Structures are given as C-alpha cells and as structure tokens.
Amino acid sequence: MLIPAFSMLIKQGTACAVEGDIKVAMAMSILKTIAGTGQLSEMYSIDFNEDICIIGHSGSGDADISVDRKPTMKIVPVFHGKTGGGYLTQFYPPAGDVTYLAITQDKDGHFKFVVAEGVNEKGPIFTFGDTNMRTRFSIGAREFCNRWSEAGPTHHMAAAIGRHIDVIEKVGKILDIPVEVVCR
C-alpha cells in the first residue's frame, strides 16, 4: 500500500522514490518545482528498429504527468522484477516534449546534474502496471544511451513534461552544481 500513498504524496509535492534512491527524489523535487511534474523513471528498453528508448518505472509516480488518461492501479504478483507482489500505479504521460534529469556524483563526491530532452511518442507500451514512455532523442537511441551512460548517472532519473534544460542550468548555477547536457 506504500505505492499509492507515495503517489499521493508526490502529487502534493513530496518526492518519494522507491528503492530508497535519495538522488532521484531530489531530481523529482527539482522537476516538480520548475515543471509541475516529477516522475520516477529508468531505462527499460531500447527499440533499435523504431530508434526510441522505453523509459519509465513501476511503483509510485506523479499523477500530474498522467495527462492522456486517468491513472490506473493494478495488483501484481511480481513487483518490478522482485519477489512478492503489490500495488502498482500506472500513469500516462502525453505525447510531446519531455525532460529527463539525473543526479549523480563525481569521483570526489561532488554532485552533477545529467539532463536530456526528447519527444514522447504514441505507440505500444508495456501494460503490466508500469508508467512508461516511448522517447525519441535528437541524437538517436543508440547515441543517447552511449552519451547518457558516459555521463555516469545512477540508473534512476526523473521525468517532466516539456523542455526544461535552460531552467535546470540556472538551478545548477545557483547551487554550484555542474550540468551535463546529453542532448536537446
């Protein structure tokens, strides 16, 4: 029952990241503040034939990103590939611009923002209760994955509707945190 409760808190502006990832909770809070949405995400898959990345996450999420249709809740026997089941809340982000923000640390322990902008496209998505997006990047799926991975983020990131790299760069400047832009 924590998943629906966390989702309600996220909608109200309190980031709650499953798996105890505090860095993605910070990224969710930043995007929720500047963009109005802060969805927990990670790379699910890459469709090389379609040249898109499937990005999303199971569990708690931000209902404000569910523009296309009302969120759904499912009871599942397996939760995010782990033993044991539970409740999943699935949200439906709209087609259009999307921004991804990850917070990582360098070898000296200093924070760094890793950001990318892409376009969410309509098409088939997984239907096992997870929020997921079909995102096309200006540099292509393969190059995006290479550059994103080379930037060294954790496997979680936050997502927001719209293009927000310019504002994230200003936040980074105010907080004295470097911003690595993977693509716009």
Side-chain angles (χ1 to χ4, degrees):
M1 289 304 297
L2 283 177
I3 299 305
F6 283 174
S7 294
M8 290 170 58
L9 286 169
I10 293 167
K11 181 171 177 26
Q12 295 172 10
T14 301
C16 301
V18 296
E19 301 178 44
D21 189 337
I22 299 303
K23 287 181 246 178
V24 79
M26 293 187 307
M28 291 166 67
S29 290
I30 290 168
L31 286 181
K32 184 74 171 175
T33 300
I34 66 173
T37 55
Q39 175 66 40
L40 173 67
S41 299
E42 68 185 19
M43 185 76 65
Y44 264 138
S45 186
I46 306 161
D47 185 332
F48 291 109
N49 293 332
E50 294 288 326
D51 198 29
I52 60 162
C53 296
I54 309 295
I55 299 174
H57 208 281
S58 61
S60 56
D62 186 357
D64 286 337
I65 204 166
S66 197
V67 174
D68 273 5
R69 59 187 261 216
K70 285 181 81 169
T72 57
M73 187 166 61
K74 294 182 180 182
I75 300 172
V76 294
V78 176
F79 178 76
H80 199 56
K82 297 167 181 70
T83 57
Y87 292 91
L88 293 179
T89 50
Q90 185 168 357
F91 305 103
Y92 303 92
D97 295 335
V98 63
T99 299
Y100 294 103
L101 168 63
I103 299 177
T104 190
Q105 291 172 275
D106 66 17
K107 63 182 177 60
D108 298 317
H110 300 111
F111 287 116
K112 175 175 84 170
F113 292 164
V114 180
V115 295
E117 293 172 340
V119 177
N120 242 2
E121 294 186 354
K122 296 282 187 198
I125 59 171
F126 299 117
T127 58
F128 46 79
D130 293 359
T131 301
N132 52 89
M133 298 167 272
R134 299 168 46 85
T135 306
R136 185 172 306 280
F137 294 98
S138 62
I139 56 176
R142 186 180 310 273
E143 188 63 20
F144 167 76
C145 290
N146 287 338
R147 289 188 195 176
W148 186 264
S149 298
E150 289 168 357
T154 63
H155 78 278
H156 288 133
M157 61 187 97
I161 297 168
R163 294 190 174 269
H164 305 287
I165 286 179
D166 291 340
V167 176
I168 292 168
E169 287 178 320
K170 291 174 185 171
V171 171
K173 187 170 185 165
I174 290 167
L175 298 175
D176 195 26
I177 297 175
V179 178
E180 185 165 342
V181 177
V182 172
C183 62
R184 292 180 187 255

